[in-house]
Amino acid sequence: MAQQVPLLINGELVHSAATDMIPVTNPATQEVIAQVPCTTAQEVDRAVAAAKAAFETWKDTPVGDRARLMLRYQALLKEHHDDLAKTLSQETGKTFEDAKGDLWRGIEVVEHACNIASLSMGETVENVARKIDCYSITQPLGVCVGITPFNFPAMIPLWMFPMAIACGNTFVLKPSEQDPLTPMRLAELFKEAGAPDGLLQIVHGGKEVVDQLLTHKDTPAISFVGSVAVGEHIYRTGTEHLKRVQAFAGAKNHMVVMPDASKMQVINAIAGASVGAAGQRCMAISVAVFVGESREWIPEVRDALAKVRPGAWDDPNAGYGPLINPQSKERVLRFIQEGKAAGAECILDGSECVVEGYPDGNWVGPTMFRNVTTDMSIYREEIFGPVLVALEVESIEEAIELINENPYGNGTSIFTSSGAAARKYQHEIKVGQVGINVPVPVPLPMFSFTGWRKSFYGDQHAYGKQAVRFYTETKTVTARWFEEDIDHGVNTSIHLK
Ligand code: NAD
């Protein structure tokens, strides 16, 4: 039987007493590589208690010491980069190059957390009244919780716990049960970097474990990334329990192709952004909107997609890997069938994809539809597979209206050589992350990851300054120091004198 994945509680790797297990499989072969325990309620309580106890010391740890922990951590992550990426590839099926990207985008957040001193600075105004100064300070919240999806097992945990812990909090992470081995290695390296016991705990499992964390009296803040249905449940339940919640959810990202764009750039960008990572990215381009004459490029986009070949993680010629599990593959195939049945034209069909040497992998080949209408499920729903849907419109205004009517607002991009068109698009589009001739505009950590509408529930986003606001309270101090004992008399108004 494959090895049971341990929990991490108070600095110790703990063998869970759970009897319910979820297998972790290699998506290219179905080989079971580990068993994930559904952590017991007592173990979840112990994890939260350990984080709560560690908070008492960590919250008063000097900011320089907190920053130095992150400096050591980012150095260790870089030192173990390739090993981590290999583990990540094996449990997700991502190509080695893509796994390295997943990790690297997380390391960038740890680098950013090294700046915690300047990021968490408050503000001061002298003489808000005569000889009275006002200043704000930021203080940590306590035990923060992170619930993460399967599709970025390095990057998304690293969006969360380094920023929360650098701010002075402690953390309980519940990674995806589908690929927990990468987050476990991240946690081991964090300990090796010198993280005191109790700063980071890891518990595993599904809904029951998440719900216990969501309703626990000692978890004031919840960060979630995953699907819309679960994100809505997390936001509702967490806020109902009066917690601070940020919930990043699903997406349907459109790329607008203007006829004045560089054709080669467009073709390469669409091919990479739509089927890269088998389309299992929340910022994947799943809809291409061809404006006017750019529709003539559709056959060439199709040909470029047809050349991208799925394959095993260590095949250097593979463009992407398998879907995460057989259910995801079935779901994607169902969408392809629905698209055909609804009358869309399937100009590239990856349903029957075979990868030599891997007969049991969850493969779906690049797939593309045209003549799609907005009432079809392939347009309305997040497919989360290597399926590109092409729509055709006559003007940029029509493209903007179409996208603003779509309920999702994670990412979008426009390809054009017109500054005026780009400026109009950037201003009018109701999507949180916009690329101008950049297909996957994931912001670097000096900014924040800013999904909108159905792609995000909450107020403060991930990493950057917004993460510091999310993971801290602001305290505002109004101070007067008396030089001599002057009798101002009794002041019964709220006017500062
Ligand atoms: P998911 O919603 O199935 O799972 C996410 C997490 O929630 C996992 O840890 C899982 O164990 C837990 N969970 C699952 N069902 C639950 C339930 N009923 N109650 C409580 N917790 C539950 O998502 P996934 O399939 O792992 O990830 C893919 C989804 O994540 C896609 O929709 C994708 O768009 C989205 N995503 C969004 C972003 C973003 O930044 N907006 C980033 C990455 C992924």
PDB file of all heavy atoms in Angstrom, residues 147-151 156 159 174-177 205-207 210-211 224-227 230 233-234 248-251 282 382 384 410 449 455, ligand 1:
ATOM      1  N   ILE A 147      -6.958  27.199   2.194  1.00  0.00           N
ATOM      2  CA  ILE A 147      -7.541  26.014   1.546  1.00  0.00           C
ATOM      3  C   ILE A 147      -7.205  26.156   0.065  1.00  0.00           C
ATOM      4  O   ILE A 147      -7.591  27.148  -0.561  1.00  0.00           O
ATOM      5  CB  ILE A 147      -9.071  25.977   1.759  1.00  0.00           C
ATOM      6  CG1 ILE A 147      -9.377  25.949   3.263  1.00  0.00           C
ATOM      7  CG2 ILE A 147      -9.697  24.773   1.058  1.00  0.00           C
ATOM      8  CD1 ILE A 147     -10.659  26.651   3.624  1.00  0.00           C
ATOM      9  N   THR A 148      -6.480  25.191  -0.479  1.00  0.00           N
ATOM     10  CA  THR A 148      -5.913  25.414  -1.816  1.00  0.00           C
ATOM     11  C   THR A 148      -6.358  24.347  -2.828  1.00  0.00           C
ATOM     12  O   THR A 148      -6.709  23.239  -2.455  1.00  0.00           O
ATOM     13  CB  THR A 148      -4.367  25.485  -1.721  1.00  0.00           C
ATOM     14  OG1 THR A 148      -3.880  24.314  -1.078  1.00  0.00           O
ATOM     15  CG2 THR A 148      -3.917  26.707  -0.957  1.00  0.00           C
ATOM     16  N   PRO A 149      -6.317  24.708  -4.131  1.00  0.00           N
ATOM     17  CA  PRO A 149      -6.792  23.808  -5.194  1.00  0.00           C
ATOM     18  C   PRO A 149      -5.658  22.924  -5.710  1.00  0.00           C
ATOM     19  O   PRO A 149      -4.494  23.112  -5.341  1.00  0.00           O
ATOM     20  CB  PRO A 149      -7.222  24.786  -6.278  1.00  0.00           C
ATOM     21  CG  PRO A 149      -6.231  25.893  -6.158  1.00  0.00           C
ATOM     22  CD  PRO A 149      -5.881  26.004  -4.697  1.00  0.00           C
ATOM     23  N   PHE A 150      -6.009  22.018  -6.620  1.00  0.00           N
ATOM     24  CA  PHE A 150      -4.993  21.080  -7.119  1.00  0.00           C
ATOM     25  C   PHE A 150      -4.078  21.721  -8.153  1.00  0.00           C
ATOM     26  O   PHE A 150      -2.960  21.248  -8.364  1.00  0.00           O
ATOM     27  CB  PHE A 150      -5.682  19.848  -7.740  1.00  0.00           C
ATOM     28  CG  PHE A 150      -6.210  20.081  -9.128  1.00  0.00           C
ATOM     29  CD1 PHE A 150      -5.369  20.000 -10.239  1.00  0.00           C
ATOM     30  CD2 PHE A 150      -7.542  20.419  -9.351  1.00  0.00           C
ATOM     31  CE1 PHE A 150      -5.842  20.238 -11.519  1.00  0.00           C
ATOM     32  CE2 PHE A 150      -8.023  20.662 -10.622  1.00  0.00           C
ATOM     33  CZ  PHE A 150      -7.167  20.569 -11.711  1.00  0.00           C
ATOM     34  N   ASN A 151      -4.543  22.793  -8.833  1.00  0.00           N
ATOM     35  CA  ASN A 151      -3.865  23.135 -10.096  1.00  0.00           C
ATOM     36  C   ASN A 151      -2.548  23.886  -9.940  1.00  0.00           C
ATOM     37  O   ASN A 151      -1.771  23.933 -10.886  1.00  0.00           O
ATOM     38  CB  ASN A 151      -4.818  23.854 -11.057  1.00  0.00           C
ATOM     39  CG  ASN A 151      -5.229  25.218 -10.575  1.00  0.00           C
ATOM     40  OD1 ASN A 151      -5.294  25.449  -9.373  1.00  0.00           O
ATOM     41  ND2 ASN A 151      -5.504  26.116 -11.491  1.00  0.00           N
ATOM     42  N   ILE A 156       0.089  28.392  -5.108  1.00  0.00           N
ATOM     43  CA  ILE A 156      -1.026  28.941  -4.320  1.00  0.00           C
ATOM     44  C   ILE A 156      -0.796  28.815  -2.805  1.00  0.00           C
ATOM     45  O   ILE A 156      -0.991  29.796  -2.095  1.00  0.00           O
ATOM     46  CB  ILE A 156      -2.366  28.420  -4.833  1.00  0.00           C
ATOM     47  CG1 ILE A 156      -2.569  29.053  -6.222  1.00  0.00           C
ATOM     48  CG2 ILE A 156      -3.512  28.805  -3.899  1.00  0.00           C
ATOM     49  CD1 ILE A 156      -3.810  28.699  -6.950  1.00  0.00           C
ATOM     50  N   TRP A 159       1.267  31.689  -2.118  1.00  0.00           N
ATOM     51  CA  TRP A 159       0.574  32.986  -2.101  1.00  0.00           C
ATOM     52  C   TRP A 159       0.177  33.326  -0.656  1.00  0.00           C
ATOM     53  O   TRP A 159       0.048  34.480  -0.306  1.00  0.00           O
ATOM     54  CB  TRP A 159      -0.752  32.914  -2.866  1.00  0.00           C
ATOM     55  CG  TRP A 159      -0.702  33.034  -4.345  1.00  0.00           C
ATOM     56  CD1 TRP A 159       0.382  33.097  -5.159  1.00  0.00           C
ATOM     57  CD2 TRP A 159      -1.860  33.091  -5.206  1.00  0.00           C
ATOM     58  NE1 TRP A 159      -0.029  33.173  -6.467  1.00  0.00           N
ATOM     59  CE2 TRP A 159      -1.381  33.178  -6.527  1.00  0.00           C
ATOM     60  CE3 TRP A 159      -3.232  33.064  -4.986  1.00  0.00           C
ATOM     61  CZ2 TRP A 159      -2.239  33.253  -7.631  1.00  0.00           C
ATOM     62  CZ3 TRP A 159      -4.080  33.131  -6.069  1.00  0.00           C
ATOM     63  CH2 TRP A 159      -3.595  33.226  -7.380  1.00  0.00           C
ATOM     64  N   LYS A 174      -4.741  23.616   4.460  1.00  0.00           N
ATOM     65  CA  LYS A 174      -5.427  22.389   4.018  1.00  0.00           C
ATOM     66  C   LYS A 174      -5.244  22.340   2.506  1.00  0.00           C
ATOM     67  O   LYS A 174      -6.007  22.925   1.750  1.00  0.00           O
ATOM     68  CB  LYS A 174      -6.910  22.459   4.394  1.00  0.00           C
ATOM     69  CG  LYS A 174      -7.624  21.120   4.560  1.00  0.00           C
ATOM     70  CD  LYS A 174      -7.578  20.235   3.350  1.00  0.00           C
ATOM     71  CE  LYS A 174      -8.498  20.684   2.244  1.00  0.00           C
ATOM     72  NZ  LYS A 174      -8.321  19.871   1.007  1.00  0.00           N
ATOM     73  N   PRO A 175      -4.167  21.647   2.044  1.00  0.00           N
ATOM     74  CA  PRO A 175      -3.924  21.616   0.595  1.00  0.00           C
ATOM     75  C   PRO A 175      -4.909  20.703  -0.106  1.00  0.00           C
ATOM     76  O   PRO A 175      -5.627  19.929   0.529  1.00  0.00           O
ATOM     77  CB  PRO A 175      -2.504  21.053   0.495  1.00  0.00           C
ATOM     78  CG  PRO A 175      -2.284  20.289   1.752  1.00  0.00           C
ATOM     79  CD  PRO A 175      -3.200  20.859   2.808  1.00  0.00           C
ATOM     80  N   SER A 176      -4.913  20.771  -1.427  1.00  0.00           N
ATOM     81  CA  SER A 176      -5.762  19.865  -2.209  1.00  0.00           C
ATOM     82  C   SER A 176      -5.393  18.425  -1.881  1.00  0.00           C
ATOM     83  O   SER A 176      -4.213  18.067  -1.807  1.00  0.00           O
ATOM     84  CB  SER A 176      -5.583  20.113  -3.699  1.00  0.00           C
ATOM     85  OG  SER A 176      -6.249  19.085  -4.419  1.00  0.00           O
ATOM     86  N   GLU A 177      -6.402  17.599  -1.736  1.00  0.00           N
ATOM     87  CA  GLU A 177      -6.170  16.183  -1.441  1.00  0.00           C
ATOM     88  C   GLU A 177      -5.635  15.453  -2.675  1.00  0.00           C
ATOM     89  O   GLU A 177      -5.202  14.306  -2.585  1.00  0.00           O
ATOM     90  CB  GLU A 177      -7.473  15.527  -0.942  1.00  0.00           C
ATOM     91  CG  GLU A 177      -8.644  15.508  -1.926  1.00  0.00           C
ATOM     92  CD  GLU A 177      -9.403  16.834  -2.013  1.00  0.00           C
ATOM     93  OE1 GLU A 177      -8.847  17.895  -1.649  1.00  0.00           O
ATOM     94  OE2 GLU A 177     -10.565  16.800  -2.484  1.00  0.00           O
ATOM     95  N   GLY A 205      -7.562  16.425   3.804  1.00  0.00           N
ATOM     96  CA  GLY A 205      -8.931  15.932   3.746  1.00  0.00           C
ATOM     97  C   GLY A 205      -9.775  16.785   2.832  1.00  0.00           C
ATOM     98  O   GLY A 205      -9.259  17.577   2.037  1.00  0.00           O
ATOM     99  N   GLY A 206     -11.097  16.617   2.950  1.00  0.00           N
ATOM    100  CA  GLY A 206     -12.022  17.334   2.078  1.00  0.00           C
ATOM    101  C   GLY A 206     -12.965  18.209   2.866  1.00  0.00           C
ATOM    102  O   GLY A 206     -12.560  18.887   3.819  1.00  0.00           O
ATOM    103  N   LYS A 207     -14.242  18.159   2.500  1.00  0.00           N
ATOM    104  CA  LYS A 207     -15.249  19.092   3.010  1.00  0.00           C
ATOM    105  C   LYS A 207     -15.317  19.132   4.549  1.00  0.00           C
ATOM    106  O   LYS A 207     -15.375  20.204   5.143  1.00  0.00           O
ATOM    107  CB  LYS A 207     -16.610  18.716   2.423  1.00  0.00           C
ATOM    108  CG  LYS A 207     -17.732  19.626   2.880  1.00  0.00           C
ATOM    109  CD  LYS A 207     -19.005  19.336   2.134  1.00  0.00           C
ATOM    110  CE  LYS A 207     -20.210  20.031   2.742  1.00  0.00           C
ATOM    111  NZ  LYS A 207     -20.065  21.444   2.998  1.00  0.00           N
ATOM    112  N   VAL A 210     -12.443  21.042   6.001  1.00  0.00           N
ATOM    113  CA  VAL A 210     -12.569  22.463   5.643  1.00  0.00           C
ATOM    114  C   VAL A 210     -13.661  23.107   6.500  1.00  0.00           C
ATOM    115  O   VAL A 210     -13.467  24.194   7.062  1.00  0.00           O
ATOM    116  CB  VAL A 210     -12.894  22.613   4.137  1.00  0.00           C
ATOM    117  CG1 VAL A 210     -13.263  24.052   3.803  1.00  0.00           C
ATOM    118  CG2 VAL A 210     -11.717  22.150   3.293  1.00  0.00           C
ATOM    119  N   ASP A 211     -14.785  22.435   6.623  1.00  0.00           N
ATOM    120  CA  ASP A 211     -15.894  23.030   7.386  1.00  0.00           C
ATOM    121  C   ASP A 211     -15.523  23.208   8.857  1.00  0.00           C
ATOM    122  O   ASP A 211     -15.910  24.187   9.487  1.00  0.00           O
ATOM    123  CB  ASP A 211     -17.168  22.184   7.225  1.00  0.00           C
ATOM    124  CG  ASP A 211     -17.806  22.398   5.853  1.00  0.00           C
ATOM    125  OD1 ASP A 211     -17.356  23.302   5.123  1.00  0.00           O
ATOM    126  OD2 ASP A 211     -18.742  21.662   5.505  1.00  0.00           O
ATOM    127  N   PHE A 224      -9.031  31.158   0.490  1.00  0.00           N
ATOM    128  CA  PHE A 224      -9.437  29.998  -0.311  1.00  0.00           C
ATOM    129  C   PHE A 224      -9.148  30.263  -1.770  1.00  0.00           C
ATOM    130  O   PHE A 224      -9.346  31.372  -2.264  1.00  0.00           O
ATOM    131  CB  PHE A 224     -10.952  29.751  -0.133  1.00  0.00           C
ATOM    132  CG  PHE A 224     -11.506  28.782  -1.148  1.00  0.00           C
ATOM    133  CD1 PHE A 224     -11.426  27.413  -0.942  1.00  0.00           C
ATOM    134  CD2 PHE A 224     -12.090  29.240  -2.336  1.00  0.00           C
ATOM    135  CE1 PHE A 224     -11.921  26.517  -1.898  1.00  0.00           C
ATOM    136  CE2 PHE A 224     -12.572  28.351  -3.287  1.00  0.00           C
ATOM    137  CZ  PHE A 224     -12.493  26.982  -3.061  1.00  0.00           C
ATOM    138  N   VAL A 225      -8.727  29.227  -2.480  1.00  0.00           N
ATOM    139  CA  VAL A 225      -8.660  29.274  -3.949  1.00  0.00           C
ATOM    140  C   VAL A 225      -9.239  27.957  -4.459  1.00  0.00           C
ATOM    141  O   VAL A 225      -8.834  26.877  -4.002  1.00  0.00           O
ATOM    142  CB  VAL A 225      -7.215  29.453  -4.457  1.00  0.00           C
ATOM    143  CG1 VAL A 225      -7.201  29.489  -5.985  1.00  0.00           C
ATOM    144  CG2 VAL A 225      -6.586  30.732  -3.917  1.00  0.00           C
ATOM    145  N   GLY A 226     -10.182  28.036  -5.395  1.00  0.00           N
ATOM    146  CA  GLY A 226     -10.773  26.813  -5.943  1.00  0.00           C
ATOM    147  C   GLY A 226     -11.954  27.147  -6.836  1.00  0.00           C
ATOM    148  O   GLY A 226     -12.023  28.237  -7.418  1.00  0.00           O
ATOM    149  N   SER A 227     -12.888  26.221  -6.922  1.00  0.00           N
ATOM    150  CA  SER A 227     -13.997  26.381  -7.864  1.00  0.00           C
ATOM    151  C   SER A 227     -15.065  27.333  -7.312  1.00  0.00           C
ATOM    152  O   SER A 227     -15.095  27.628  -6.110  1.00  0.00           O
ATOM    153  CB  SER A 227     -14.624  25.013  -8.135  1.00  0.00           C
ATOM    154  OG  SER A 227     -15.072  24.467  -6.917  1.00  0.00           O
ATOM    155  N   VAL A 230     -17.546  25.860  -4.523  1.00  0.00           N
ATOM    156  CA  VAL A 230     -16.922  25.724  -3.203  1.00  0.00           C
ATOM    157  C   VAL A 230     -16.564  27.116  -2.662  1.00  0.00           C
ATOM    158  O   VAL A 230     -16.754  27.398  -1.473  1.00  0.00           O
ATOM    159  CB  VAL A 230     -15.690  24.789  -3.265  1.00  0.00           C
ATOM    160  CG1 VAL A 230     -15.072  24.636  -1.885  1.00  0.00           C
ATOM    161  CG2 VAL A 230     -16.081  23.424  -3.811  1.00  0.00           C
ATOM    162  N   HIS A 233     -19.511  28.633  -1.058  1.00  0.00           N
ATOM    163  CA  HIS A 233     -19.766  27.982   0.238  1.00  0.00           C
ATOM    164  C   HIS A 233     -18.781  28.506   1.298  1.00  0.00           C
ATOM    165  O   HIS A 233     -19.165  28.828   2.432  1.00  0.00           O
ATOM    166  CB  HIS A 233     -19.620  26.463   0.065  1.00  0.00           C
ATOM    167  CG  HIS A 233     -19.482  25.709   1.344  1.00  0.00           C
ATOM    168  ND1 HIS A 233     -20.509  25.577   2.248  1.00  0.00           N
ATOM    169  CD2 HIS A 233     -18.413  25.069   1.903  1.00  0.00           C
ATOM    170  CE1 HIS A 233     -20.093  24.866   3.294  1.00  0.00           C
ATOM    171  NE2 HIS A 233     -18.828  24.555   3.112  1.00  0.00           N
ATOM    172  N   ILE A 234     -17.524  28.631   0.908  1.00  0.00           N
ATOM    173  CA  ILE A 234     -16.490  29.089   1.856  1.00  0.00           C
ATOM    174  C   ILE A 234     -16.800  30.526   2.291  1.00  0.00           C
ATOM    175  O   ILE A 234     -16.748  30.862   3.478  1.00  0.00           O
ATOM    176  CB  ILE A 234     -15.086  29.059   1.183  1.00  0.00           C
ATOM    177  CG1 ILE A 234     -14.728  27.659   0.717  1.00  0.00           C
ATOM    178  CG2 ILE A 234     -14.010  29.720   2.053  1.00  0.00           C
ATOM    179  CD1 ILE A 234     -14.124  26.731   1.697  1.00  0.00           C
ATOM    180  N   PHE A 248     -10.939  33.019  -3.891  1.00  0.00           N
ATOM    181  CA  PHE A 248     -10.649  33.136  -5.331  1.00  0.00           C
ATOM    182  C   PHE A 248     -11.303  31.952  -6.018  1.00  0.00           C
ATOM    183  O   PHE A 248     -11.081  30.806  -5.609  1.00  0.00           O
ATOM    184  CB  PHE A 248      -9.138  33.104  -5.573  1.00  0.00           C
ATOM    185  CG  PHE A 248      -8.430  34.258  -4.926  1.00  0.00           C
ATOM    186  CD1 PHE A 248      -8.089  34.208  -3.587  1.00  0.00           C
ATOM    187  CD2 PHE A 248      -8.145  35.395  -5.641  1.00  0.00           C
ATOM    188  CE1 PHE A 248      -7.463  35.280  -2.973  1.00  0.00           C
ATOM    189  CE2 PHE A 248      -7.522  36.482  -5.042  1.00  0.00           C
ATOM    190  CZ  PHE A 248      -7.176  36.414  -3.698  1.00  0.00           C
ATOM    191  N   ALA A 249     -12.083  32.223  -7.060  1.00  0.00           N
ATOM    192  CA  ALA A 249     -12.894  31.145  -7.637  1.00  0.00           C
ATOM    193  C   ALA A 249     -12.605  30.956  -9.132  1.00  0.00           C
ATOM    194  O   ALA A 249     -11.554  31.355  -9.622  1.00  0.00           O
ATOM    195  CB  ALA A 249     -14.354  31.434  -7.358  1.00  0.00           C
ATOM    196  N   GLY A 250     -13.569  30.367  -9.829  1.00  0.00           N
ATOM    197  CA  GLY A 250     -13.365  29.938 -11.216  1.00  0.00           C
ATOM    198  C   GLY A 250     -13.269  31.084 -12.212  1.00  0.00           C
ATOM    199  O   GLY A 250     -13.328  32.263 -11.858  1.00  0.00           O
ATOM    200  N   ALA A 251     -13.164  30.721 -13.501  1.00  0.00           N
ATOM    201  CA  ALA A 251     -12.900  31.749 -14.509  1.00  0.00           C
ATOM    202  C   ALA A 251     -13.346  31.305 -15.887  1.00  0.00           C
ATOM    203  O   ALA A 251     -13.554  30.111 -16.141  1.00  0.00           O
ATOM    204  CB  ALA A 251     -11.402  32.046 -14.530  1.00  0.00           C
ATOM    205  N   CYS A 282      -6.397  28.913 -13.818  1.00  0.00           N
ATOM    206  CA  CYS A 282      -7.507  29.860 -13.629  1.00  0.00           C
ATOM    207  C   CYS A 282      -7.331  31.064 -14.539  1.00  0.00           C
ATOM    208  O   CYS A 282      -8.256  31.841 -14.717  1.00  0.00           O
ATOM    209  CB  CYS A 282      -7.579  30.301 -12.184  1.00  0.00           C
ATOM    210  SG  CYS A 282      -6.115  31.203 -11.699  1.00  0.00           S
ATOM    211  N   GLU A 382     -17.008  27.018 -17.034  1.00  0.00           N
ATOM    212  CA  GLU A 382     -15.560  26.816 -17.003  1.00  0.00           C
ATOM    213  C   GLU A 382     -15.292  25.340 -17.312  1.00  0.00           C
ATOM    214  O   GLU A 382     -15.698  24.462 -16.549  1.00  0.00           O
ATOM    215  CB  GLU A 382     -15.018  27.159 -15.609  1.00  0.00           C
ATOM    216  CG  GLU A 382     -13.516  26.986 -15.495  1.00  0.00           C
ATOM    217  CD  GLU A 382     -12.983  27.265 -14.099  1.00  0.00           C
ATOM    218  OE1 GLU A 382     -13.616  26.854 -13.113  1.00  0.00           O
ATOM    219  OE2 GLU A 382     -11.922  27.901 -14.009  1.00  0.00           O
ATOM    220  N   PHE A 384     -12.181  23.918 -17.888  1.00  0.00           N
ATOM    221  CA  PHE A 384     -10.934  23.526 -17.213  1.00  0.00           C
ATOM    222  C   PHE A 384     -10.264  22.345 -17.923  1.00  0.00           C
ATOM    223  O   PHE A 384      -9.880  21.339 -17.323  1.00  0.00           O
ATOM    224  CB  PHE A 384     -11.203  23.189 -15.734  1.00  0.00           C
ATOM    225  CG  PHE A 384     -10.200  23.854 -14.819  1.00  0.00           C
ATOM    226  CD1 PHE A 384      -9.930  25.204 -14.912  1.00  0.00           C
ATOM    227  CD2 PHE A 384      -9.509  23.120 -13.853  1.00  0.00           C
ATOM    228  CE1 PHE A 384      -9.004  25.823 -14.083  1.00  0.00           C
ATOM    229  CE2 PHE A 384      -8.583  23.724 -13.017  1.00  0.00           C
ATOM    230  CZ  PHE A 384      -8.340  25.073 -13.137  1.00  0.00           C
ATOM    231  N   ASN A 410     -11.922  37.083 -14.024  1.00  0.00           N
ATOM    232  CA  ASN A 410     -10.562  36.838 -13.513  1.00  0.00           C
ATOM    233  C   ASN A 410      -9.514  37.535 -14.372  1.00  0.00           C
ATOM    234  O   ASN A 410      -8.849  38.453 -13.940  1.00  0.00           O
ATOM    235  CB  ASN A 410     -10.308  35.329 -13.457  1.00  0.00           C
ATOM    236  CG  ASN A 410      -9.419  34.957 -12.287  1.00  0.00           C
ATOM    237  OD1 ASN A 410      -9.495  35.595 -11.234  1.00  0.00           O
ATOM    238  ND2 ASN A 410      -8.588  33.945 -12.442  1.00  0.00           N
ATOM    239  N   PHE A 449      -3.115  39.808  -6.834  1.00  0.00           N
ATOM    240  CA  PHE A 449      -3.855  38.997  -7.807  1.00  0.00           C
ATOM    241  C   PHE A 449      -5.328  39.374  -7.662  1.00  0.00           C
ATOM    242  O   PHE A 449      -5.964  39.006  -6.680  1.00  0.00           O
ATOM    243  CB  PHE A 449      -3.630  37.510  -7.518  1.00  0.00           C
ATOM    244  CG  PHE A 449      -4.181  36.619  -8.581  1.00  0.00           C
ATOM    245  CD1 PHE A 449      -3.406  36.222  -9.652  1.00  0.00           C
ATOM    246  CD2 PHE A 449      -5.495  36.184  -8.524  1.00  0.00           C
ATOM    247  CE1 PHE A 449      -3.922  35.403 -10.642  1.00  0.00           C
ATOM    248  CE2 PHE A 449      -6.023  35.364  -9.518  1.00  0.00           C
ATOM    249  CZ  PHE A 449      -5.233  34.978 -10.580  1.00  0.00           C
ATOM    250  N   SER A 455     -15.322  35.570  -9.999  1.00  0.00           N
ATOM    251  CA  SER A 455     -14.005  34.945  -9.827  1.00  0.00           C
ATOM    252  C   SER A 455     -13.385  35.285  -8.479  1.00  0.00           C
ATOM    253  O   SER A 455     -12.273  34.814  -8.182  1.00  0.00           O
ATOM    254  CB  SER A 455     -13.059  35.392 -10.950  1.00  0.00           C
ATOM    255  OG  SER A 455     -13.559  34.978 -12.195  1.00  0.00           O
TER     256      SER A 455
HETATM  257  P1  NAD B   1     -12.142  22.707  -5.684  1.00  0.00           P
HETATM  258  O1  NAD B   1     -13.066  23.829  -5.386  1.00  0.00           O
HETATM  259  O2  NAD B   1     -12.707  21.382  -6.013  1.00  0.00           O
HETATM  260  O3  NAD B   1     -11.187  22.436  -4.403  1.00  0.00           O
HETATM  261  C1  NAD B   1     -10.482  23.499  -3.773  1.00  0.00           C
HETATM  262  C2  NAD B   1     -10.275  23.151  -2.307  1.00  0.00           C
HETATM  263  O4  NAD B   1     -11.549  23.080  -1.650  1.00  0.00           O
HETATM  264  C3  NAD B   1      -9.585  21.803  -2.076  1.00  0.00           C
HETATM  265  O5  NAD B   1      -8.681  21.937  -1.015  1.00  0.00           O
HETATM  266  C4  NAD B   1     -10.741  20.880  -1.709  1.00  0.00           C
HETATM  267  O6  NAD B   1     -10.365  19.846  -0.827  1.00  0.00           O
HETATM  268  C5  NAD B   1     -11.725  21.814  -1.021  1.00  0.00           C
HETATM  269  N1  NAD B   1     -13.124  21.395  -1.214  1.00  0.00           N
HETATM  270  C6  NAD B   1     -13.627  20.703  -2.277  1.00  0.00           C
HETATM  271  N2  NAD B   1     -14.964  20.547  -2.131  1.00  0.00           N
HETATM  272  C7  NAD B   1     -15.301  21.154  -0.969  1.00  0.00           C
HETATM  273  C8  NAD B   1     -16.531  21.351  -0.286  1.00  0.00           C
HETATM  274  N3  NAD B   1     -17.677  20.873  -0.777  1.00  0.00           N
HETATM  275  N4  NAD B   1     -16.523  22.032   0.878  1.00  0.00           N
HETATM  276  C9  NAD B   1     -15.368  22.520   1.379  1.00  0.00           C
HETATM  277  N5  NAD B   1     -14.169  22.367   0.776  1.00  0.00           N
HETATM  278  C10 NAD B   1     -14.120  21.694  -0.389  1.00  0.00           C
HETATM  279  O7  NAD B   1     -11.142  23.226  -6.809  1.00  0.00           O
HETATM  280  P2  NAD B   1     -10.056  22.400  -7.637  1.00  0.00           P
HETATM  281  O8  NAD B   1     -10.739  21.491  -8.577  1.00  0.00           O
HETATM  282  O9  NAD B   1      -9.026  21.840  -6.702  1.00  0.00           O
HETATM  283  O10 NAD B   1      -9.336  23.598  -8.432  1.00  0.00           O
HETATM  284  C11 NAD B   1      -9.782  24.058  -9.678  1.00  0.00           C
HETATM  285  C12 NAD B   1     -10.618  25.307  -9.545  1.00  0.00           C
HETATM  286  O11 NAD B   1      -9.871  26.315  -8.873  1.00  0.00           O
HETATM  287  C13 NAD B   1     -10.998  25.910 -10.891  1.00  0.00           C
HETATM  288  O12 NAD B   1     -12.337  26.322 -10.836  1.00  0.00           O
HETATM  289  C14 NAD B   1     -10.074  27.118 -11.024  1.00  0.00           C
HETATM  290  O13 NAD B   1     -10.560  28.168 -11.833  1.00  0.00           O
HETATM  291  C15 NAD B   1      -9.971  27.541  -9.608  1.00  0.00           C
HETATM  292  N6  NAD B   1      -8.789  28.358  -9.377  1.00  0.00           N
HETATM  293  C16 NAD B   1      -8.968  29.701  -9.222  1.00  0.00           C
HETATM  294  C17 NAD B   1      -7.858  30.525  -9.044  1.00  0.00           C
HETATM  295  C18 NAD B   1      -8.034  32.009  -8.875  1.00  0.00           C
HETATM  296  O14 NAD B   1      -7.077  32.654  -8.506  1.00  0.00           O
HETATM  297  N7  NAD B   1      -9.195  32.569  -9.129  1.00  0.00           N
HETATM  298  C19 NAD B   1      -6.579  29.970  -9.026  1.00  0.00           C
HETATM  299  C20 NAD B   1      -6.439  28.586  -9.177  1.00  0.00           C
HETATM  300  C21 NAD B   1      -7.562  27.792  -9.352  1.00  0.00           C
END
